[in-house]
Amino acid sequence: MTARAPALSPTLQPVLLALGFALLLLIGGTSVWLVAQTDADSARALQTLEVKEKLARLQGLVWRAESNQRSYLLAGDPRYREDVQADAEAIDAALAQLDDALKQTNGTTQSVLFAELRAAIADELSMLEQAAGRREQEGPLAVIPELLERSKAEEIRSMVGQLVQQEQRLLAGELAASSRRARQFLAASLCGILLIFLLAAASIIIVRHSIRRMMAAQKALKEANESLEETVARRTAELRQANEEIQNFAYVVSHDLRAPLVNIMGFTSELEVMRKDLFNRRGAGPEAALRGDFDEALSFIKSSIARMDRLIKAILKLTREGRREFRLEPIDMTELVGSIADGLGYQAQVNRASITVEPLPPFHGDRLALEQIFGNLLENALKYLRDDTPGQIRVTGHVVPTGNVYEVQDNGRGIEAKDMGRVFDIFRRSGPQDRPGEGIGLTHVRTLVRRLGGAIDVRSEPGRGSTFTVTFPTRPPATMLETTQ
Amino acid sequence: MTEHVTIIMIEDDEGHARLIEKNIRRAGVRNEIVSLSDGTSAIRHLFGEDGSGSEHRGHALLILLDLNLPDMSGIDILKRLKANEYLKRSPVVVLTTTDDQHEIQRCYDLGCNVYITKPVDYESFANSIRQLGLFFSVIQIPETS
Ligand SMILES: Nc1ncnc2c1ncn2[C@@H]1O[C@H](COP(=O)(O)OP(=O)(O)OP(=O)(O)O)[C@@H](O)[C@H]1O
Ligand SMILES: [Mg+2]
């Protein structure tokens, strides 16, 4: 089927159509021509008939003139003479008419014979005239034998016969040619009709072929659509599973890392106890320096362990958040953020900062997650204020067609452009490291926002302030609905 | 706690076992401590060869249990202890690194008496163990029936 496809491609269709039209035109033209030809042929036959009839009349007139003349010669009645003259005039008129008719049927070719006929008739008439003259002078009987002798009646008769025959032949020849042509045209038309049938058949095949292909394509599309949904569902499941595995992994790893840490810390502390016993007994001296080194080493070990513990705890907290099941409920965001701000009131007072919460659009989400999101953002806003400026923190919100937008804006120290993306990464911090923290707050926030189907972004002008924008879609993502139902 | 109470410590991490023992001793507890480092040997010791636990009849036991054992979960040991007619009244102290809320609830549901999370910070670690030791010295522990 595919091999035939290019030959029967639907682009051929217009060409076939044009060809069909051309053939139809040809056939139509042929029919018109045939009708015209038939008309012409019958007109031509009529003309021939006319010529024949005129020739017969001419013959009759000649005969009448001759017999009238003879009657005159025999009887000498002048009435017959008058008749002969009238006949001669009629013959002239008939000849002129015949000349016209012959010119119509065959142009010049017959004019020789016709001219001879004309001459013979003229001779005959003049002979009759002479004979009449002699009758008047010499009496009736003297003229007759001569008259009979010189008469061209027989010639005239044969010439008229020839003319009739010629005319008949001419007509027959022309009719034969015409019918030959008609047959040729008819044959051409028949071929055209056949071709049209072939073209129609080809068209039908092409149309059916392309319909079949279209239907196959439609079917394939439908199948693809169905399998696409399946694929998406499968991929989503795979992704979810992979995600769960990663979280599990992080959880187990961070968990198991704590056990050796307990030992390291425990025995370091035991060492510290032993050190006290050792160095106290020996007293002062060169050991004092050694004791200093010992203390330094121990304190480094201990602070490192403490930090490691904090990091592991942070990871644990994150993974635990990732595993927690969300409960979606309608939430008065103004109230939720307002109570977080109230909770931070003391801290704000210490930092000489004010927190303003404007009316916020309500949202359908997990209360705890939202508390943690805005709690972290507000804590950061308070923590990273500038020491020389009274802090102003504002929480605003509005509804857009796709969802809700909430913004936490401060006039603090800001974040440099190069750090804007990094601050959301785990353990990454920005600017001078003069505030306590591990750099997991924003990671946590981003994880929660994403689990709620939203997105978080930051705009900041270093030294002027930052704005964190949280966008939630109106409809929670399907994946989350599944886990919560 | 009277001298005849035996402390059975099921703990796979030797370091932890040592630290726990040290701190219990520091609290002035002189009782015998039997240290078992995996689930299988713990099961064998607790329930004996026949698995009935009758060997410990008439003894007073206090069990310190870690949940993360290499060969089985401490939860399973806890379940079996609480299901055993001789051992079900012996107090069980779960002492583990897991501070997962579900896990803690689960242990209490299964009849654990005390649940302690091992803190990395040694001060608090030592403190909790010592307090546990003090607690040992005041609690009454029934003999196995
Ligand atoms: N409102 C803000 N203004 C200026 N810098 C900020 C602001 N919020 C966050 N940052 C920068 O982003 C970094 C990461 O913030 P994040 O909340 O993740 O961690 P942290 O506050 O340092 O520690 P913690 O884990 O205690 O929250 C911060 O160290 C700070 O440099
Ligand atoms: Mg923070």
Side-chain angles (χ1 to χ4, degrees):
Chain A
M1 199 164 127
T2 33
R4 247 171 56 203
L8 286 181
S9 99
T11 50
L12 260 180
Q13 195 81 338
V15 178
L16 290 184
L17 216 64
L19 219 63
F21 267 119
L23 284 172
L24 269 180
L25 268 178
L26 184 80
I27 292 166
T30 308
S31 311
V32 169
W33 181 86
L34 276 175
V35 169
Q37 188 65 23
T38 314
D39 273 358
D41 285 350
S42 54
R44 181 68 185 71
L46 264 180
Q47 276 172 356
T48 304
L49 275 181
E50 221 176 306
V51 168
K52 271 161 74 180
E53 187 250 352
K54 283 195 171 115
L55 282 170
R57 207 165 84 89
L58 183 64
Q59 179 74 72
L61 281 175
V62 171
W63 279 337
R64 209 171 73 181
E66 281 168 352
S67 82
N68 278 337
Q69 186 67 2
R70 251 174 243 132
S71 306
Y72 172 65
L73 290 182
L74 289 175
D77 190 344
R79 239 189 22 216
Y80 289 117
R81 207 162 137 70
E82 275 161 36
D83 279 351
V84 172
Q85 267 155 12
D87 286 339
E89 274 163 35
I91 287 171
D92 270 351
L95 273 173
Q97 272 180 16
L98 197 58
D99 191 21
D100 279 353
L102 282 173
K103 268 182 194 138
Q104 266 181 26
T105 59
N106 47 27
T108 49
T109 43
Q110 206 154 14
S111 53
V112 183
L113 193 56
F114 182 61
E116 279 172 17
L117 177 65
R118 243 191 171 159
I121 290 176
D123 277 359
E124 180 77 358
L125 285 181
S126 73
M127 185 275 291
L128 289 179
E129 192 52 47
Q130 277 174 20
R134 294 233 335 248
R135 161 83 168 78
E136 274 169 27
Q137 292 157 15
E138 299 169 22
L141 290 170
V143 187
I144 291 169
E146 195 191 352
L147 183 77
L148 291 173
E149 209 172 281
R150 279 175 54 200
S151 174
K152 288 203 169 147
E154 199 45 44
E155 261 172 74
I156 289 173
R157 204 177 57 88
S158 106
M159 269 194 273
V160 165
Q162 264 176 315
L163 267 177
V164 167
Q165 261 177 18
Q166 262 186 21
E167 194 61 28
Q168 204 114 359
R169 260 204 311 280
L170 210 66
L171 176 67
E174 276 178 30
L175 285 185
S178 154
S179 95
R180 209 167 42 244
R181 267 200 304 274
R183 270 201 304 279
Q184 282 166 358
F185 270 96
L186 209 64
S189 285
L190 283 178
C191 284
I193 287 172
L194 202 72
L195 261 176
I196 282 182
F197 271 116
L198 284 179
L199 287 182
S203 285
I204 287 172
I205 289 175
I206 288 180
V207 166
R208 286 183 54 170
H209 179 73
S210 57
I211 283 178
R212 214 170 354 184
R213 278 206 307 195
M214 224 154 70
M215 268 161 57
Q218 234 169 22
K219 209 174 133 216
L221 194 71
K222 211 174 123 207
E223 279 169 6
N225 259 343
E226 276 164 11
S227 74
L228 188 71
E229 267 166 35
E230 239 170 64
T231 313
V232 167
R234 202 176 52 239
R235 294 276 153 80
T236 313
E238 279 169 8
L239 270 184
R240 200 177 302 142
Q241 202 183 345
N243 192 32
E244 270 166 28
E245 270 168 26
I246 289 174
Q247 296 219 334
N248 247 348
F249 172 78
Y251 184 76
V252 168
V253 165
S254 50
H255 220 278
D256 287 2
L257 282 178
R258 293 182 79 189
L261 216 54
V262 169
N263 277 334
I264 299 171
M265 196 56 161
F267 288 101
T268 309
S269 303
E270 290 295 327
L271 272 182
E272 217 176 5
V273 175
M274 283 182 247
R275 181 212 66 110
K276 264 180 207 139
D277 292 351
L278 269 173
F279 290 115
N280 280 350
R281 230 175 286 151
R282 299 275 170 85
E287 270 103 26
L290 195 60
R291 188 166 57 191
D293 289 349
F294 208 102
D295 280 350
E296 195 192 42
L298 278 180
S299 80
F300 267 120
I301 295 175
K302 286 177 76 172
S303 68
S304 299
I305 296 167
R307 183 165 154 69
M308 186 149 178
D309 182 40
R310 283 202 305 276
L311 299 187
I312 290 173
K313 266 205 193 115
I315 298 176
L316 262 180
K317 195 176 141 201
L318 265 185
T319 56
R320 205 165 283 158
E321 264 318 311
R323 286 142 63 104
R324 190 173 69 81
E325 296 228 326
F326 278 9
R327 269 198 23 243
L328 301 187
E329 52 183 323
I331 284 172
D332 179 347
M333 292 296 286
T334 317
E335 189 219 288
L336 181 134
V337 178
S339 68
I340 299 172
D342 288 346
L344 293 169
Y346 175 72
Q347 220 173 312
Q349 224 179 348
V350 172
N351 289 320
R352 293 186 301 131
S354 68
I355 305 179
T356 323
V357 181
E358 296 196 350
L360 304 174
F363 180 60
H364 203 87
D366 180 83
R367 178 173 291 279
L368 194 58
L370 289 169
E371 275 172 3
Q372 285 171 330
I373 291 168
F374 289 97
N376 263 299
L377 291 178
L378 284 174
E379 260 172 42
N380 279 350
L382 273 178
K383 194 160 40 159
Y384 301 106
L385 287 173
R386 282 170 288 164
D387 293 329
D388 53 350
T389 338
Q392 273 179 354
I393 298 164
R394 275 160 54 90
V395 186
T396 59
H398 58 277
V399 180
V400 293
T402 48
N404 293 0
V405 178
Y406 302 96
E407 296 199 319
V408 180
Q409 185 185 358
D410 66 49
N411 61 344
R413 69 187 203 190
I415 303 171
E416 285 193 38
K418 68 173 172 58
D419 287 337
M420 300 258 221
R422 270 180 78 241
V423 291
F424 293 103
D425 293 343
I426 191 162
F427 304 144
R428 295 287 170 265
R429 310 187 71 203
S430 134
Q433 300 294 301
D434 55 354
R435 315 284 154 107
E438 300 299 341
I440 74 151
L442 286 180
T443 313
H444 194 193
V445 167
R446 191 178 56 181
T447 308
L448 293 170
V449 169
R450 283 191 180 159
R451 274 199 68 190
L452 284 168
I456 184 166
D457 206 359
V458 61
R459 299 193 299 277
S460 178
E461 218 179 305
R464 302 289 293 274
S466 335
T467 307
F468 284 84
T469 311
V470 178
T471 317
F472 289 124
T474 324
R475 229 173 62 87
T479 50
M480 209 177 61
L481 284 177
E482 274 169 39
T483 58
T484 50
Q485 274 163 5
Chain B
M1 187 166 64
T2 38
E3 289 293 322
H4 68 275
V5 177
T6 307
I7 297 175
I8 295 178
M9 179 165 62
I10 306 166
E11 168 64 82
D12 67 312
D13 188 312
E14 276 180 56
H16 289 193
R18 189 82 193 91
L19 289 174
I20 291 166
E21 198 178 334
K22 262 179 190 270
N23 283 288
I24 288 177
R25 295 284 179 238
R26 275 193 192 125
V29 175
R30 298 275 155 263
N31 300 55
E32 182 196 355
I33 297 180
V34 178
S35 195
L36 300 160
S37 65
D38 59 87
T40 321
S41 51
I43 295 281
R44 184 161 343 105
H45 181 85
L46 284 171
F47 301 101
E49 294 301 330
D50 57 353
S52 67
S54 55
E55 281 175 28
H56 295 291
R57 192 198 301 253
H59 295 179
L61 298 181
L62 188 143
I63 297 150
L64 289 183
L65 179 63
D66 184 7
L67 293 185
N68 304 311
L69 297 172
D71 50 352
M72 67 180 72
S73 160
I75 298 268
D76 293 336
I77 300 180
L78 178 62
K79 272 190 210 153
R80 283 192 64 173
L81 279 174
K82 290 301 163 188
N84 185 283
E85 63 169 304
Y86 303 108
L87 299 169
K88 66 183 174 200
R89 292 197 192 88
S90 302
V92 176
V93 177
V94 172
L95 192 54
T96 187
T97 44
T98 317
D99 59 355
D100 190 83
Q101 217 46 45
H102 289 286
E103 206 80 314
I104 297 172
Q105 277 171 12
R106 191 121 178 268
C107 286
Y108 278 115
D109 288 347
L110 288 171
C112 125
N113 303 82
V114 182
Y115 189 106
I116 299 172
T117 305
K118 297 174 198 163
V120 170
D121 172 21
Y122 190 58
E123 284 308 310
S124 24
F125 180 83
N127 237 335
S128 359
I129 306 290
R130 246 172 283 143
Q131 274 169 11
L132 186 66
L134 295 177
F135 171 68
F136 290 168
S137 60
V138 294
I139 59 167
Q140 291 298 316
I141 294 172
E143 287 180 0
T144 50
S145 38

